Amino acid sequence: MEEILNALNKITKELDMQRHEIRETGKNVTEKVTQNINQMLEEKFLILEEKHEKLKEIVENQEKRLYYLEKQARKRNLVIFGIEETETSYENLETNIMKWIDQYFALKLTYSDNQEVKRVGKKEKRPRPVIVTFLTLGMKIKVLKQKRALQETQYYIKEDYPKYVLEKRKELQEQLQLEREQGNRARIKYDKLIISKNFTKRKLPISPENVTASNIETNTQTNKKNKIQQRSTSVKRSNSISEGVIKPGILNFLVNKDTTNITRNQENNL
């Protein structure tokens, strides 16, 4: 019986060892499998990330191109507000716009100066704005420079901006008002707020050269006055140098010529 029990114990120990080995090998296999799967997933993720970055760059470039094209397409446009909606056809609208520009801006346009004229928005009680596309940018600038002629009228003109630019400009209005309240010069240019702070003008310090020049001027004027007063006295002087006649130095000739000429004329008169 003891031999049988010993044999059974050995068998159970061997089975336990085999189970432990099987579990360890299973763990190793699962770890290797998971590592391989993770590595494959990481490689695929990196590939997808690179593709995503490339697509993102392409989309950004396309958006920039669309942004530039839309900006260029609206560059020669002007939006006119307040013109009565009485036209019955495209030709009638175009002639009305040409007459209106001639009336308020004294610019006689021809049909070749306009590329397109159209109204924007839903038809309501109030007149819809008119977008005028000029053939050249110079003609648009001529009209835009004279927009002050519409100050006392119901009409007004504006630049033609895309929708997202209009929204951006609307957001910047509050900041524009705050900057102006603080005393800064601010304006909205396209979709950006440009601020130029007011700086107080400082007095420039007087340089030593200016100081010496001013001192020289005052000294020469006082010397010449003394000289005139001395000549006006009844005392006769000789032409000798020993009697203290003051001769002008080189610095006196650097003073303004007008002052020297005036003093010479005064001396001759005296």
Side-chain angles (χ1 to χ4, degrees):
M1 290 294 293
E2 289 180 359
E3 293 178 357
I4 294 169
L5 291 171
N6 292 326
L8 289 172
N9 289 326
K10 287 181 180 179
I11 292 168
T12 53
K13 286 180 181 180
E14 289 177 358
L15 289 172
D16 291 333
M17 292 288 290
Q18 289 177 359
R19 285 175 185 174
H20 184 71
E21 290 177 357
I22 290 167
R23 286 175 183 175
E24 291 294 327
T25 53
K27 286 180 181 180
N28 294 328
V29 170
T30 51
E31 287 178 358
K32 288 181 180 179
V33 170
T34 51
Q35 286 178 359
N36 292 329
I37 292 169
N38 290 329
Q39 189 176 357
M40 291 172 64
L41 290 173
E42 285 178 359
E43 289 176 357
K44 287 183 179 180
F45 179 76
L46 289 172
I47 293 168
L48 291 172
E49 191 175 4
E50 289 178 359
K51 288 182 179 179
H52 176 72
E53 290 295 328
K54 288 180 181 179
L55 290 172
K56 187 178 178 181
E57 188 177 355
I58 292 168
V59 170
E60 287 177 355
N61 291 330
Q62 292 294 333
E63 286 179 353
K64 287 179 182 178
R65 288 178 183 176
L66 290 172
Y67 175 82
Y68 176 76
L69 290 173
E70 190 172 5
K71 186 177 179 181
Q72 290 297 114
R74 297 173 184 265
K75 194 174 183 179
R76 292 177 283 111
N77 291 0
L78 275 181
V79 187
I80 305 172
F81 297 86
I83 294 179
E84 293 78 7
E85 199 166 349
T86 58
E87 68 277 357
T88 56
S89 63
Y90 177 82
E91 293 178 358
N92 195 358
L93 175 63
E94 194 172 13
T95 53
N96 289 340
I97 294 297
M98 290 168 62
K99 289 178 182 178
W100 183 83
I101 291 173
D102 186 14
Q103 180 182 356
Y104 288 96
F105 303 112
L107 294 172
K108 293 184 178 180
L109 301 181
T110 60
Y111 289 100
S112 60
D113 292 325
N114 299 328
Q115 185 176 347
E116 186 182 7
V117 178
K118 63 180 179 180
R119 288 194 181 267
V120 182
K122 293 181 181 180
K123 194 170 184 179
E124 297 176 355
K125 292 182 180 179
R126 61 181 180 179
R128 293 176 293 170
V130 181
I131 295 179
V132 182
T133 304
F134 295 96
L135 190 66
T136 61
L137 183 63
M139 185 58 67
K140 174 206 168 178
I141 293 170
K142 285 181 181 179
V143 175
L144 195 61
K145 281 183 177 179
Q146 300 182 25
K147 66 179 181 179
R148 292 183 179 176
L150 305 174
Q151 285 181 353
E152 297 180 357
T153 64
Q154 63 179 352
Y155 310 110
Y156 58 95
I157 58 177
K158 287 186 177 182
E159 294 270 3
D160 186 21
Y161 299 115
K163 188 177 179 180
Y164 59 90
V165 176
L166 292 173
E167 291 174 354
K168 185 69 175 177
R169 288 171 68 89
K170 190 176 180 181
E171 291 175 0
L172 293 173
Q173 286 295 330
E174 294 181 0
Q175 190 176 354
L176 175 68
Q177 190 173 358
L178 289 173
E179 292 293 336
R180 287 180 176 175
E181 287 176 356
Q182 292 175 1
N184 298 326
R185 292 182 180 180
R187 61 190 179 92
I188 298 174
K189 187 176 181 181
Y190 203 69
D191 59 347
K192 295 179 181 178
L193 182 64
I194 298 172
I195 301 168
S196 56
K197 295 184 179 180
N198 291 329
F199 294 99
T200 56
K201 292 183 179 180
R202 294 183 298 175
K203 292 183 179 180
L204 295 174
I206 299 171
S207 62
E209 293 178 357
N210 295 329
V211 173
T212 54
S214 61
N215 291 330
I216 291 165
E217 271 190 69
T218 54
N219 290 328
T220 51
Q221 288 178 358
T222 53
N223 290 330
K224 286 175 181 177
K225 285 181 181 179
N226 293 328
K227 187 176 179 181
I228 293 166
Q229 289 176 358
Q230 288 174 0
R231 287 190 178 183
S232 63
T233 57
S234 60
V235 179
K236 293 182 180 180
R237 296 183 180 272
S238 64
N239 292 328
S240 63
I241 299 172
S242 61
E243 291 187 2
V245 177
I246 300 171
K247 288 187 177 181
I250 190 67
L251 290 174
N252 297 106
F253 292 98
L254 298 176
V255 187
N256 194 357
K257 292 182 180 179
D258 296 334
T259 57
T260 56
N261 290 328
I262 291 168
T263 52
R264 284 177 183 175
N265 291 326
Q266 290 176 354
E267 290 175 1
N268 292 325
N269 290 329
L270 291 170

